[in-house]
Amino acid sequence: MVEKNWSRQLPLHLMVMPALLLVLVFSYGPIAGLVIAFQKYSIVKGIFGSEWIGFDNFRYVFSLPGTLDVIGNTVLIAFMKIVAGLIAPIATALLLNEIRIESIKRGVQTLIYLPHFLSWIILGSILIDILSPSSGIVNQMLGLIGIKPIFFLGDNQWFPYLLVLSDVWKEFGFSTIVYLAALTSINPTLYEAAVVDGAGRWKQTLHVTLPGMLPIIILMSTLSLGNVLNAGFDQVFNLYSPQVYESGDIIDTFVYRLGLVDAQYAVATAMGMFKSAVSVLFVSVSYYLAYRLANYRIF
Amino acid sequence: MVYTSFGGKLFTVANYILLIALGLLCILPLIHVGAVSFSSSTAAGAGNVNLWPVDFTWKSYQFVLQKKEFLRSMEVSLQRVLLGTAVNMSLTVMLGYALSKESRSFFGRTWYAWFFVLTIFINGGFIPWYLVIKEAGLLNSLGALVLPGAVPVFNVVLLLNFFRTLPKELEESAFVDGAGHWTILWKIFIPLSLPALATIGLFTIVGHWNAWFDGLILMNSPDKYPLQSYLQTVVINRDLSLVNSTDISMLAEVSDRTLKAAQTLLGALPILLVYPFLQKYFVKGMVMGSVKE
């Protein structure tokens, strides 16, 4: 029986093999490559020929004048995105739930899901056009009510908030899906009972709808904890410029410039590794909390 | 539920207005840029264009579509989408099928599963990723855009959770009839999961079409860039070295702004075309992965 079982399960091992090899090379390879953070790495000498220098790269990167500001920017932008990215879709789902005309509901959903599927190249290009201080339509409209043109993408006062706002704009619609799914699973008899007890629409929302959504709200909040250092490379990279490094430069863009523009591979890797280490910590905590609070498992 | 009180009616009206406004807010910027792309350079320059083209013209599109660089990058993108989706989907189906089995009928299943899932949590970061692909000799080839992301672990998890919802009896009776795993996967599991596979397939297509960073970094010359990477250099970064001398003569009739608008719209067009199909599936797909025993 054991023998037969082996030949029977052989195809399963074969099915896993190609993916296993690819992941070994392209996911675990880079993880092993993190050792260059502890080397005076040079492309010519390679990993095996480069000199080991302990934590010097970490010391160096944290001695750079801008590093702490970059970490501060990252945490601030990411935190605002997490909070806004939770509140906006929950509110939208609750409001959509109040709409009785099915065609309008579906129409609104179609429109608000769309930006999620466009890349930050497309959306970045659109934002650059409409926010332009000289010809952008946003500043034209502000001009109508007497406001002087604002260079949203070049002004440190505005830039981080613009990042948060445009990120919410891209994602809030798509994020409503999980909450709307949760709403459909609320037992209708609860509403009937609430009506019998004299509850109006507001009371029903407060005492039936929100409690019904609570598990998924808790789940999404805990899972989003893992993003404390993810301020959004794709977005920032396509919207920022040296004028707004002060308020908008984040760890990922900083690592990119250290690595690819200045060719300081080892220093950039050290900074990246710092981010990964902190992120792994937060992600682990978030999944543990999601498991404990919402009984969430990945598989 | 219908409101009878005055406050209730007021809320209903305000709610409709607010949500319709939110919906419009998501599409109007795109429509505005579309209107600019079909307007003359003078109208666009004077800021006369709102949501409808002024002095309607195809000139910007004619200009963009005769540019060799643009067409070549479109070709790279198409190759990438076709090859990348084929590779991603085959690996996802095989891996999802194998990992959906119980540990007792698939020895080592738990180890395999953790091997893949761990990569969701830890990664080597950007520089080691680049160095590995460079060492593998993939720079400047289509392989660099397809192989490093060939195993979309998140989709595998979605699919394996879906496979687990299929009745076990189907598989058991097929076994009794002498079918092996390949036959069961091909003849039973795949036909039963077409909606799930369509969802994942559409997401994969969108992902490959939208990817821009890998092309920018891993291709040494702009003629190997996929469309989104090309757009990154010309629309976002304004790399004017990519404008050649025959272009200059046409630049009188179009402007930097209308050209960018046209390229942006062309870059979004495939997504807008598959969007109706996407929408049909993704709501189901999002919920699909969360169904567990």
PDB file of all heavy atoms in Angstrom, chain B residues 27-52:
ATOM      1  N   ILE B  27     -13.797  58.871 -12.573  1.00  0.00           N
ATOM      2  CA  ILE B  27     -13.702  58.731 -14.028  1.00  0.00           C
ATOM      3  C   ILE B  27     -13.417  60.063 -14.721  1.00  0.00           C
ATOM      4  O   ILE B  27     -12.764  60.099 -15.765  1.00  0.00           O
ATOM      5  CB  ILE B  27     -14.994  58.064 -14.587  1.00  0.00           C
ATOM      6  CG1 ILE B  27     -14.829  57.661 -16.048  1.00  0.00           C
ATOM      7  CG2 ILE B  27     -16.200  58.968 -14.445  1.00  0.00           C
ATOM      8  CD1 ILE B  27     -13.981  56.449 -16.247  1.00  0.00           C
ATOM      9  N   LEU B  28     -13.852  61.192 -14.119  1.00  0.00           N
ATOM     10  CA  LEU B  28     -13.688  62.480 -14.800  1.00  0.00           C
ATOM     11  C   LEU B  28     -12.236  62.838 -15.131  1.00  0.00           C
ATOM     12  O   LEU B  28     -11.972  63.340 -16.224  1.00  0.00           O
ATOM     13  CB  LEU B  28     -14.355  63.606 -13.989  1.00  0.00           C
ATOM     14  CG  LEU B  28     -15.888  63.565 -13.998  1.00  0.00           C
ATOM     15  CD1 LEU B  28     -16.467  64.750 -13.239  1.00  0.00           C
ATOM     16  CD2 LEU B  28     -16.425  63.542 -15.428  1.00  0.00           C
ATOM     17  N   PRO B  29     -11.269  62.579 -14.231  1.00  0.00           N
ATOM     18  CA  PRO B  29      -9.886  62.911 -14.606  1.00  0.00           C
ATOM     19  C   PRO B  29      -9.459  62.192 -15.888  1.00  0.00           C
ATOM     20  O   PRO B  29      -8.800  62.777 -16.740  1.00  0.00           O
ATOM     21  CB  PRO B  29      -9.072  62.424 -13.400  1.00  0.00           C
ATOM     22  CG  PRO B  29     -10.016  62.477 -12.263  1.00  0.00           C
ATOM     23  CD  PRO B  29     -11.351  62.112 -12.825  1.00  0.00           C
ATOM     24  N   LEU B  30      -9.893  60.941 -16.018  1.00  0.00           N
ATOM     25  CA  LEU B  30      -9.543  60.174 -17.218  1.00  0.00           C
ATOM     26  C   LEU B  30     -10.223  60.766 -18.452  1.00  0.00           C
ATOM     27  O   LEU B  30      -9.611  60.897 -19.525  1.00  0.00           O
ATOM     28  CB  LEU B  30      -9.977  58.719 -17.015  1.00  0.00           C
ATOM     29  CG  LEU B  30      -9.424  57.668 -17.970  1.00  0.00           C
ATOM     30  CD1 LEU B  30      -7.919  57.573 -17.847  1.00  0.00           C
ATOM     31  CD2 LEU B  30     -10.054  56.310 -17.693  1.00  0.00           C
ATOM     32  N   ILE B  31     -11.482  61.168 -18.283  1.00  0.00           N
ATOM     33  CA  ILE B  31     -12.215  61.771 -19.408  1.00  0.00           C
ATOM     34  C   ILE B  31     -11.578  63.102 -19.804  1.00  0.00           C
ATOM     35  O   ILE B  31     -11.412  63.400 -20.993  1.00  0.00           O
ATOM     36  CB  ILE B  31     -13.708  61.966 -19.033  1.00  0.00           C
ATOM     37  CG1 ILE B  31     -14.363  60.590 -18.878  1.00  0.00           C
ATOM     38  CG2 ILE B  31     -14.428  62.793 -20.092  1.00  0.00           C
ATOM     39  CD1 ILE B  31     -15.808  60.641 -18.461  1.00  0.00           C
ATOM     40  N   HIS B  32     -11.171  63.870 -18.817  1.00  0.00           N
ATOM     41  CA  HIS B  32     -10.529  65.153 -19.109  1.00  0.00           C
ATOM     42  C   HIS B  32      -9.249  64.950 -19.939  1.00  0.00           C
ATOM     43  O   HIS B  32      -9.032  65.612 -20.950  1.00  0.00           O
ATOM     44  CB  HIS B  32     -10.198  65.883 -17.809  1.00  0.00           C
ATOM     45  CG  HIS B  32      -9.340  67.095 -17.996  1.00  0.00           C
ATOM     46  ND1 HIS B  32      -9.780  68.224 -18.636  1.00  0.00           N
ATOM     47  CD2 HIS B  32      -8.046  67.328 -17.657  1.00  0.00           C
ATOM     48  CE1 HIS B  32      -8.799  69.111 -18.667  1.00  0.00           C
ATOM     49  NE2 HIS B  32      -7.739  68.591 -18.078  1.00  0.00           N
ATOM     50  N   VAL B  33      -8.419  63.993 -19.495  1.00  0.00           N
ATOM     51  CA  VAL B  33      -7.177  63.728 -20.229  1.00  0.00           C
ATOM     52  C   VAL B  33      -7.498  63.200 -21.630  1.00  0.00           C
ATOM     53  O   VAL B  33      -6.832  63.546 -22.608  1.00  0.00           O
ATOM     54  CB  VAL B  33      -6.277  62.752 -19.437  1.00  0.00           C
ATOM     55  CG1 VAL B  33      -5.084  62.315 -20.255  1.00  0.00           C
ATOM     56  CG2 VAL B  33      -5.803  63.413 -18.155  1.00  0.00           C
ATOM     57  N   GLY B  34      -8.565  62.395 -21.731  1.00  0.00           N
ATOM     58  CA  GLY B  34      -9.001  61.948 -23.049  1.00  0.00           C
ATOM     59  C   GLY B  34      -9.399  63.116 -23.930  1.00  0.00           C
ATOM     60  O   GLY B  34      -9.026  63.193 -25.103  1.00  0.00           O
ATOM     61  N   ALA B  35     -10.131  64.076 -23.366  1.00  0.00           N
ATOM     62  CA  ALA B  35     -10.554  65.252 -24.131  1.00  0.00           C
ATOM     63  C   ALA B  35      -9.344  66.053 -24.596  1.00  0.00           C
ATOM     64  O   ALA B  35      -9.283  66.507 -25.745  1.00  0.00           O
ATOM     65  CB  ALA B  35     -11.481  66.114 -23.285  1.00  0.00           C
ATOM     66  N   VAL B  36      -8.351  66.203 -23.713  1.00  0.00           N
ATOM     67  CA  VAL B  36      -7.130  66.924 -24.094  1.00  0.00           C
ATOM     68  C   VAL B  36      -6.442  66.219 -25.266  1.00  0.00           C
ATOM     69  O   VAL B  36      -5.985  66.855 -26.213  1.00  0.00           O
ATOM     70  CB  VAL B  36      -6.162  67.031 -22.893  1.00  0.00           C
ATOM     71  CG1 VAL B  36      -4.792  67.534 -23.347  1.00  0.00           C
ATOM     72  CG2 VAL B  36      -6.731  67.945 -21.824  1.00  0.00           C
ATOM     73  N   SER B  37      -6.435  64.883 -25.223  1.00  0.00           N
ATOM     74  CA  SER B  37      -5.701  64.139 -26.256  1.00  0.00           C
ATOM     75  C   SER B  37      -6.326  64.321 -27.630  1.00  0.00           C
ATOM     76  O   SER B  37      -5.647  64.196 -28.644  1.00  0.00           O
ATOM     77  CB  SER B  37      -5.640  62.653 -25.891  1.00  0.00           C
ATOM     78  OG  SER B  37      -6.891  62.040 -26.093  1.00  0.00           O
ATOM     79  N   PHE B  38      -7.625  64.635 -27.694  1.00  0.00           N
ATOM     80  CA  PHE B  38      -8.288  64.827 -28.988  1.00  0.00           C
ATOM     81  C   PHE B  38      -8.417  66.308 -29.356  1.00  0.00           C
ATOM     82  O   PHE B  38      -9.096  66.648 -30.316  1.00  0.00           O
ATOM     83  CB  PHE B  38      -9.692  64.196 -28.965  1.00  0.00           C
ATOM     84  CG  PHE B  38      -9.666  62.701 -29.104  1.00  0.00           C
ATOM     85  CD1 PHE B  38     -10.013  61.876 -28.041  1.00  0.00           C
ATOM     86  CD2 PHE B  38      -9.287  62.108 -30.314  1.00  0.00           C
ATOM     87  CE1 PHE B  38      -9.983  60.494 -28.178  1.00  0.00           C
ATOM     88  CE2 PHE B  38      -9.261  60.729 -30.449  1.00  0.00           C
ATOM     89  CZ  PHE B  38      -9.609  59.921 -29.377  1.00  0.00           C
ATOM     90  N   SER B  39      -7.809  67.183 -28.566  1.00  0.00           N
ATOM     91  CA  SER B  39      -7.936  68.613 -28.841  1.00  0.00           C
ATOM     92  C   SER B  39      -6.707  69.125 -29.574  1.00  0.00           C
ATOM     93  O   SER B  39      -5.655  68.491 -29.562  1.00  0.00           O
ATOM     94  CB  SER B  39      -8.096  69.387 -27.534  1.00  0.00           C
ATOM     95  OG  SER B  39      -9.278  68.998 -26.889  1.00  0.00           O
ATOM     96  N   SER B  40      -6.843  70.272 -30.200  1.00  0.00           N
ATOM     97  CA  SER B  40      -5.697  70.872 -30.870  1.00  0.00           C
ATOM     98  C   SER B  40      -4.725  71.393 -29.815  1.00  0.00           C
ATOM     99  O   SER B  40      -5.107  71.657 -28.672  1.00  0.00           O
ATOM    100  CB  SER B  40      -6.156  72.013 -31.763  1.00  0.00           C
ATOM    101  OG  SER B  40      -6.552  73.103 -30.951  1.00  0.00           O
ATOM    102  N   SER B  41      -3.461  71.553 -30.237  1.00  0.00           N
ATOM    103  CA  SER B  41      -2.461  71.991 -29.265  1.00  0.00           C
ATOM    104  C   SER B  41      -2.771  73.398 -28.745  1.00  0.00           C
ATOM    105  O   SER B  41      -2.526  73.695 -27.585  1.00  0.00           O
ATOM    106  CB  SER B  41      -1.070  71.941 -29.886  1.00  0.00           C
ATOM    107  OG  SER B  41      -1.047  72.706 -31.068  1.00  0.00           O
ATOM    108  N   THR B  42      -3.333  74.247 -29.605  1.00  0.00           N
ATOM    109  CA  THR B  42      -3.642  75.608 -29.140  1.00  0.00           C
ATOM    110  C   THR B  42      -4.732  75.601 -28.081  1.00  0.00           C
ATOM    111  O   THR B  42      -4.622  76.272 -27.057  1.00  0.00           O
ATOM    112  CB  THR B  42      -4.095  76.520 -30.306  1.00  0.00           C
ATOM    113  OG1 THR B  42      -4.757  75.710 -31.282  1.00  0.00           O
ATOM    114  CG2 THR B  42      -2.926  77.242 -30.933  1.00  0.00           C
ATOM    115  N   ALA B  43      -5.784  74.795 -28.325  1.00  0.00           N
ATOM    116  CA  ALA B  43      -6.878  74.742 -27.353  1.00  0.00           C
ATOM    117  C   ALA B  43      -6.393  74.181 -26.030  1.00  0.00           C
ATOM    118  O   ALA B  43      -6.723  74.685 -24.950  1.00  0.00           O
ATOM    119  CB  ALA B  43      -8.029  73.907 -27.902  1.00  0.00           C
ATOM    120  N   ALA B  44      -5.574  73.110 -26.116  1.00  0.00           N
ATOM    121  CA  ALA B  44      -5.065  72.507 -24.892  1.00  0.00           C
ATOM    122  C   ALA B  44      -4.154  73.477 -24.159  1.00  0.00           C
ATOM    123  O   ALA B  44      -4.207  73.603 -22.934  1.00  0.00           O
ATOM    124  CB  ALA B  44      -4.317  71.209 -25.213  1.00  0.00           C
ATOM    125  N   GLY B  45      -3.326  74.185 -24.937  1.00  0.00           N
ATOM    126  CA  GLY B  45      -2.388  75.124 -24.335  1.00  0.00           C
ATOM    127  C   GLY B  45      -3.099  76.289 -23.663  1.00  0.00           C
ATOM    128  O   GLY B  45      -2.671  76.782 -22.621  1.00  0.00           O
ATOM    129  N   ALA B  46      -4.223  76.721 -24.263  1.00  0.00           N
ATOM    130  CA  ALA B  46      -4.941  77.858 -23.700  1.00  0.00           C
ATOM    131  C   ALA B  46      -5.817  77.449 -22.519  1.00  0.00           C
ATOM    132  O   ALA B  46      -6.427  78.296 -21.876  1.00  0.00           O
ATOM    133  CB  ALA B  46      -5.809  78.494 -24.789  1.00  0.00           C
ATOM    134  N   GLY B  47      -5.872  76.151 -22.255  1.00  0.00           N
ATOM    135  CA  GLY B  47      -6.673  75.694 -21.120  1.00  0.00           C
ATOM    136  C   GLY B  47      -8.165  75.786 -21.389  1.00  0.00           C
ATOM    137  O   GLY B  47      -8.947  76.030 -20.481  1.00  0.00           O
ATOM    138  N   ASN B  48      -8.582  75.585 -22.652  1.00  0.00           N
ATOM    139  CA  ASN B  48     -10.008  75.665 -22.978  1.00  0.00           C
ATOM    140  C   ASN B  48     -10.725  74.327 -22.867  1.00  0.00           C
ATOM    141  O   ASN B  48     -11.933  74.266 -23.015  1.00  0.00           O
ATOM    142  CB  ASN B  48     -10.190  76.172 -24.417  1.00  0.00           C
ATOM    143  CG  ASN B  48      -9.758  77.609 -24.549  1.00  0.00           C
ATOM    144  OD1 ASN B  48      -9.762  78.343 -23.560  1.00  0.00           O
ATOM    145  ND2 ASN B  48      -9.353  78.003 -25.742  1.00  0.00           N
ATOM    146  N   VAL B  49      -9.961  73.268 -22.660  1.00  0.00           N
ATOM    147  CA  VAL B  49     -10.552  71.935 -22.718  1.00  0.00           C
ATOM    148  C   VAL B  49     -11.041  71.507 -21.345  1.00  0.00           C
ATOM    149  O   VAL B  49     -10.299  71.569 -20.365  1.00  0.00           O
ATOM    150  CB  VAL B  49      -9.521  70.908 -23.239  1.00  0.00           C
ATOM    151  CG1 VAL B  49     -10.182  69.558 -23.419  1.00  0.00           C
ATOM    152  CG2 VAL B  49      -8.903  71.386 -24.527  1.00  0.00           C
ATOM    153  N   ASN B  50     -12.297  71.088 -21.275  1.00  0.00           N
ATOM    154  CA  ASN B  50     -12.788  70.534 -20.016  1.00  0.00           C
ATOM    155  C   ASN B  50     -13.048  69.042 -20.166  1.00  0.00           C
ATOM    156  O   ASN B  50     -12.144  68.245 -19.989  1.00  0.00           O
ATOM    157  CB  ASN B  50     -14.051  71.258 -19.564  1.00  0.00           C
ATOM    158  CG  ASN B  50     -13.743  72.687 -19.176  1.00  0.00           C
ATOM    159  OD1 ASN B  50     -12.696  72.937 -18.566  1.00  0.00           O
ATOM    160  ND2 ASN B  50     -14.603  73.608 -19.535  1.00  0.00           N
ATOM    161  N   LEU B  51     -14.289  68.695 -20.506  1.00  0.00           N
ATOM    162  CA  LEU B  51     -14.606  67.263 -20.604  1.00  0.00           C
ATOM    163  C   LEU B  51     -14.915  66.861 -22.036  1.00  0.00           C
ATOM    164  O   LEU B  51     -15.301  65.726 -22.297  1.00  0.00           O
ATOM    165  CB  LEU B  51     -15.790  66.934 -19.701  1.00  0.00           C
ATOM    166  CG  LEU B  51     -15.518  67.137 -18.215  1.00  0.00           C
ATOM    167  CD1 LEU B  51     -16.772  66.916 -17.391  1.00  0.00           C
ATOM    168  CD2 LEU B  51     -14.413  66.200 -17.736  1.00  0.00           C
ATOM    169  N   TRP B  52     -14.762  67.786 -22.976  1.00  0.00           N
ATOM    170  CA  TRP B  52     -15.051  67.481 -24.366  1.00  0.00           C
ATOM    171  C   TRP B  52     -13.942  68.084 -25.225  1.00  0.00           C
ATOM    172  O   TRP B  52     -13.481  69.175 -24.940  1.00  0.00           O
ATOM    173  CB  TRP B  52     -16.425  68.071 -24.751  1.00  0.00           C
ATOM    174  CG  TRP B  52     -16.999  67.409 -25.956  1.00  0.00           C
ATOM    175  CD1 TRP B  52     -17.105  67.946 -27.215  1.00  0.00           C
ATOM    176  CD2 TRP B  52     -17.509  66.085 -26.044  1.00  0.00           C
ATOM    177  NE1 TRP B  52     -17.652  67.033 -28.069  1.00  0.00           N
ATOM    178  CE2 TRP B  52     -17.917  65.876 -27.379  1.00  0.00           C
ATOM    179  CE3 TRP B  52     -17.662  65.037 -25.112  1.00  0.00           C
ATOM    180  CZ2 TRP B  52     -18.457  64.673 -27.817  1.00  0.00           C
ATOM    181  CZ3 TRP B  52     -18.202  63.853 -25.552  1.00  0.00           C
ATOM    182  CH2 TRP B  52     -18.607  63.661 -26.876  1.00  0.00           C
TER     183      TRP B  52
END
